[in-house]
Each structure stands twice: as C-alpha cells, then as structure tokens.
Amino acid sequence: MNQALHNDLQNLEQLLQNTLSQGVDYLQQLNELPTSVNQSITDQLPLPLTGSGGTSTLAEFTSRYEKLMVASAGPRYWGFVTGGTTPAAIMGDILATIYDQNTQTAKGHGDLSGAIELETINMLLELFELPSNTFLGGFVTGATMSNFTCLGVARQWIGKELGFDAAKEGIQQPIKVLAAVPHSSSIKAIAMLGLGSSNISFVNTIDPSRESMDVAALESQIEQLNGAPFILISSGGTVNTVDYDDMQAIAQLKKKHNFWWHIDAAFGGFAVLSEQHKHLLKGWELADSITIDGHKWLNVPYESAFFFTRKEHAKLQIETFQNSNAPYLGDPLENFNFLNFLPENSRRFKALATWFTLKAYGKSGYEEIVTRNIAQAQRLGNFIDSTDEFRLLAPTRLNTVCFTLNETLSDKLDTFLDVLNGRGKVFMTPTVFNKTKGIRAALVNWRTTDEDVELVEKELLEVINLI
Ligand SMILES: *Cc1c(COP(=O)(O)O)cnc(C)c1O
C-alpha cells in the first residue's frame, strides 16, 4: 500500500476528528462569517507526484481556501433560494459518506439503503400531506433533475397516448407543453429531453403584475388542441414573487381534459406547513408528478431533491429509465430498484440526511421553520414598504421579498446590490420582474432570527446612504 495511504489508515481516527473539529469551529462562527468574498483564485495547484497525506492536505486546504468559504448555509444568505443544513442533516450526510452505500435496491440484494430511501420518501409524503398509497418517489441531485425525471415520465406517457414509445423510438411528432411562468430549470429539462424548449406554449398570467396562470386562458388553449394530449407544467411557487397556479382549478380541468400535470414546487411545496398558506396547494394531490427540493427549505446539504410520481405511472417511469435493453416483464414494483426508476445508476445514500432531519425535528420542527421564515419575510416586506428609498415590486406572498429602489434612485440599483453584497453581511440576488430591475431576498434558512432581519434592515439603509 502507498505509504501516505497506509499512514492515513493508521491515523484514521485522528484525521477524522481533526476534520470534524475544524468543521465544528466553522459552524460555530457561521453567523458572523461573510456571505461573500472579494477575492479570486489565481494560481491553480498542480497534481503532486507524491501525495502528502491527510494531515498536511487538511492544513494546506485550510490555509489556502477555508477563508474563501462563504456563509451560504448561514442565516443571512438570502440569494437564489438557499437553504442551510440542520445539525441532524449534517449528521446523516456525514454518515452517508462514511457508509458509502450504492443506493439502488429496496429488497435484500446486498445493501438495504434503498428501503431506507423509500421509508424517507413516505415520511416526506406525510410531511407534505400527500397520500402515500398514491405516490412513489426518489432522490435526485436537485429540482432541475427532479423536473427532468418527472418530465421524462411525462414524455413517455404522451408518446403512449400518441401511439409511440418515446424511450425506444424517440419522439415521433411534436409534443405540446404548456406553462405560464416555468422555472428556467423546467425549460432546461424540456431541452434535455429533446422536446424542444421553443415548443413550449406560454399561457398568460392572470395579470401582468402576477405570475399565476390564467386558467381561463389555459382552458381556451386546451380547446384549440382539439383533444390532443399535452404536458402542463405548473408552478407551486414562482421564484420571484412566490405566486401559485390555481391548483384546484387545474385539478378540475384534469377531470375534463387529457394531460400530464407536473407541479414544480421546489420550495413552495413547504407552504403546506403553514396553516395560513396551505390552501395554495389544495388539489395538488391530483398531479401526475411533483418536484420538491431538499437543499432549500428542508435544510439538508447539497445535492438533494426528490420527486413524487403517481404509482399508476410506475411502468412508464421504468420504461423511461430502465437500465437494460431487456423487455420489461411483470409488476414494475416487484424487485424495485432505483436504477430503473430515475436517471442515475450508481447513487449516493442521499436520503440519509433527510431521514435524520425528519426524525430529529419532526413535522412540528418544519412547521416552526417555515412559519418563522414566512413571518420574517413579511416583516422585511413591511419594512421595505415603510421606507422612502425602497419599494416592493410585488406583495410578499410567502418567504420572498422582491423589491427595488424608488424612482429617484433606480439608476443606482446595480451599485447598491454590489456594495450590499460586497459588505458580506447579507446576500441577495438581482432579478427582473414585470420589466423592472429589482432585488430578491428568499428566506429559507432554519438559523435566521428576527435579529438577523433587523440587522439587514439597518444594513439596507446604511448602504443606500453610502452610495
Ligand atoms: C431552485 C428551483 C429549481 C431548480 O432547483 P435546483 O435544486 O437548483 O436544481 C427549480 N424550480 C424552482 C421553483 C426552484 O426554486
């Protein structure tokens, strides 16, 4: 055995303890660490011929790079939609690395991590108040891949409706996809699936100032299709203003028309955990497929998302992702194997971080995080509304504040955001909503306190007075 490797094996306990203790120090300081760095990495290290072993590698990483790690898991990283990592999620994730199972089967061919993944999926169905006897699911790397997986099954379904097997024969005729304000990742998924992103037919929203689909407009577009099957991508929370398509109205249309109903609820699905907001998702249990992210509001480490697809579509799903040319035989749920159910073959035991955090904090733990973050976003929204310098671009519907500078300052928007982010106290992202440039703050982190919101309010005023 290589000498460095041999030494590290002898020294395993110390190496892992040192690594962990460095990680713990980092987490203890997370609230104060900057949310951005103003440096870049200019000199790239070459591959060493002889390795230096774990101890000196840790030291080298720490001195070169640890200071470049931004507090994206911290309480004031409000850019994109960025979750943190709960203590139990970190525990599960570390153990997933250590156990290093290749999560595929659910029934005793070697390891059983697939069965634990299915147990985790069932816990998630309970968390989201979806019927467990109706949906199956699995873990993928992010909502982009979840959308890809769901829309892949949709493609197989529509092929069958039109008389071809899309997985085997490819796409034999143009496929209709309808959506109002799909997330960019759904458009990417449609492109990756060969359906052609420019084939998406956009449905109007109920008003130019809204991102919610106009269901009457949808219905008249459906009528023009003369009964042809189609795929509907609906939003269970848009990223800019967290607007929802009317799930109940779409559920009604589903009774009359032949379409695959996909819901991208990457973070908006968590609205079911708020008594005040759960009505936004009423009817979603009738969807064919649902995307939800783990690394956002569930606060598990990257890369984690899951999909829910209806059990009745399991055969279509296996036709889409089957890892062999063998003809499919028998009950699709017999000898269930994730390998035939989603894009990846070899897979990390991703479900473990989620299993840990769900067991550790339960449904009420997540209700508390979600309702707290929503209240904090409302507070920030009210603050924005009360100032002369800023104005809301949309009402604060859930956990995201979409705002801009008032008219007299609007040409300073880019500078404002650069300075704000550069100071490292808070991170927000630029956006354009309803043709106006703005800024978006999305609150989905379990660590965020009301004091954090107060600190950010002060920071916004300080920065506006600086520029
Ligand atoms: C974040 C997000 C995605 C993409 O998720 P990734 O985890 O980055 O792949 C898709 N849809 C919505 C609504 C999102 O918020």
Side-chain angles (χ1 to χ4, degrees):
M1 193 187 285
N2 167 283
Q3 194 57 44
L5 200 51
H6 177 77
N7 292 345
D8 280 1
L9 179 60
Q10 301 298 311
N11 206 14
L12 186 64
E13 184 175 349
Q14 200 57 51
L15 283 178
L16 293 188
Q17 271 169 5
N18 292 348
T19 308
L20 199 57
S21 106
Q22 176 165 328
V24 172
D25 287 349
Y26 175 86
L27 288 174
Q28 304 289 26
Q29 299 166 41
L30 189 57
N31 289 5
E32 284 77 48
L33 290 174
T35 49
S36 65
V37 289
N38 299 317
Q39 274 164 273
S40 47
I41 297 171
T42 45
D43 54 333
Q44 289 200 4
L45 295 177
L47 173 70
L49 184 59
T50 310
S52 57
T55 300
S56 98
T57 300
L58 179 64
E60 188 172 7
F61 172 81
T62 305
S63 72
R64 286 181 74 92
Y65 296 138
E66 205 202 19
K67 57 187 178 299
L68 303 183
M69 299 294 117
V70 300
S72 53
R76 295 179 308 281
Y77 195 96
W78 299 347
F80 314 99
V81 184
T82 306
T85 50
T86 64
I90 296 173
M91 292 160 67
D93 206 60
I94 289 173
L95 288 177
T97 296
I98 289 173
Y99 296 140
D100 200 25
Q101 308 287 288
N102 185 356
T103 303
Q104 297 181 356
T105 57
K107 268 196 217 157
H109 295 286
D111 86 85
L112 280 178
S113 54
I116 302 171
E117 179 163 341
L118 286 178
E119 177 175 285
T120 312
I121 289 291
N122 277 328
M123 284 199 254
L124 287 167
L125 286 167
E126 278 186 60
L127 183 74
F128 292 106
E129 299 177 7
L130 288 164
S132 64
N133 51 358
T134 308
F135 287 96
L136 284 167
F139 278 80
V140 287
T141 49
T144 304
M145 281 312 289
S146 177
N147 283 331
F148 176 84
T149 305
C150 294
L151 294 169
V153 191
R155 184 183 69 175
Q156 190 67 4
W157 171 82
I158 210 164
K160 288 292 166 75
E161 293 296 307
L162 296 169
F164 62 90
D165 181 331
K168 288 207 170 125
E169 299 161 350
I171 293 151
Q172 303 295 312
Q173 64 187 81
I175 285 172
K176 299 266 187 281
V177 181
L178 272 61
V181 186
H183 188 267
S184 54
S185 66
S186 281
I187 300 174
K188 179 173 173 175
I190 290 293
M192 289 194 287
L193 286 160
L195 300 177
S197 58
S198 59
N199 292 331
I200 299 174
S201 304
F202 288 94
V203 181
N204 282 342
T205 57
I206 51 183
D207 182 280
S209 69
R210 293 290 302 270
E211 295 180 303
S212 172
M213 183 183 289
D214 178 345
V215 178
L218 170 66
E219 192 156 18
S220 68
Q221 263 170 270
I222 295 176
E223 268 145 26
Q224 285 164 26
L225 293 176
N226 285 321
F230 65 97
I231 298 169
L232 179 70
I233 302 175
S234 63
S235 293
T238 56
V239 283
N240 267 335
T241 69
V242 204
D243 223 344
Y244 288 71
D245 292 343
D246 183 338
M247 302 296 166
Q248 276 177 287
I250 295 171
Q252 286 304 318
L253 288 183
K254 184 102 170 108
K255 294 182 182 150
K256 289 193 277 179
H257 302 282
N258 189 25
F259 62 95
W260 180 283
W261 183 17
H262 174 63
I263 302 176
D264 180 351
F267 67 94
F270 286 81
V272 291
L273 296 170
S274 155
E275 278 308 318
Q276 270 185 336
H277 300 92
K278 67 192 321 169
H279 65 274
L280 293 167
L281 291 157
K282 203 159 174 231
W284 75 328
E285 66 280 0
L286 293 173
D288 293 287
S289 56
I290 298 174
T291 283
I292 303 182
D293 243 324
H295 52 222
K296 288 177 180 165
W297 229 338
L298 195 63
N299 282 265
V300 301
Y302 292 111
E303 304 164 337
S304 181
F306 36 94
F307 60 82
F308 299 132
T309 44
R310 296 189 91 77
K311 264 188 191 165
E312 70 210 55
H313 299 315
K315 186 168 181 289
L316 294 169
Q317 185 148 352
I318 289 168
E319 285 170 4
T320 310
F321 295 109
Q322 169 168 275
N323 184 48
S324 90
N325 299 321
Y328 157 77
L329 295 167
D331 178 351
L333 301 178
E334 275 287 303
N335 301 318
F336 180 83
N337 189 333
F338 281 107
L339 169 92
N340 295 318
F341 203 63
L342 38 66
E344 290 95 356
N345 280 6
S346 299
R347 302 170 70 233
R348 178 179 161 77
F349 189 9
K350 277 196 245 312
L352 198 56
T354 295
W355 190 94
F356 262 72
T357 198
L358 292 177
K359 291 294 286 177
Y361 312 117
K363 187 167 185 188
S364 65
Y366 279 92
E367 285 166 349
E368 190 278 323
I369 296 171
V370 166
T371 50
R372 168 159 47 97
N373 287 159
I374 293 172
Q376 290 166 337
Q378 302 298 328
R379 174 194 162 149
L380 182 66
N382 291 341
F383 166 81
I384 294 287
D385 212 22
S386 73
T387 61
D388 295 330
E389 293 87 349
F390 306 101
R391 67 185 171 93
L392 288 173
L393 278 177
T396 307
R397 296 201 174 84
L398 198 76
N399 63 320
T400 298
V401 183
C402 187
F403 68 102
T404 193
L405 306 190
N406 79 21
E407 259 95 57
T408 56
L409 295 163
S410 60
D411 57 330
K412 292 190 171 171
L413 186 79
D414 295 338
T415 315
F416 173 79
L417 189 58
D418 280 351
V419 175
L420 182 77
N421 285 342
R423 285 159 57 102
K425 291 264 191 314
V426 62
F427 196 87
M428 299 184 185
T429 28
T431 192
V432 175
F433 175 65
N434 198 10
K435 303 196 181 82
T436 309
K437 277 169 77 170
I439 296 174
R440 198 156 58 79
L443 281 77
V444 290
N445 189 297
W446 69 277
R447 287 178 178 265
T448 309
T449 62
D450 292 356
E451 290 71 50
D452 287 310
V453 182
E454 197 179 331
L455 188 153
V456 171
E457 291 168 359
K458 290 200 180 113
E459 183 71 0
L460 291 171
L461 293 178
E462 249 181 81
V463 172
I464 202 82
N465 289 324
L466 270 180
I467 59 164

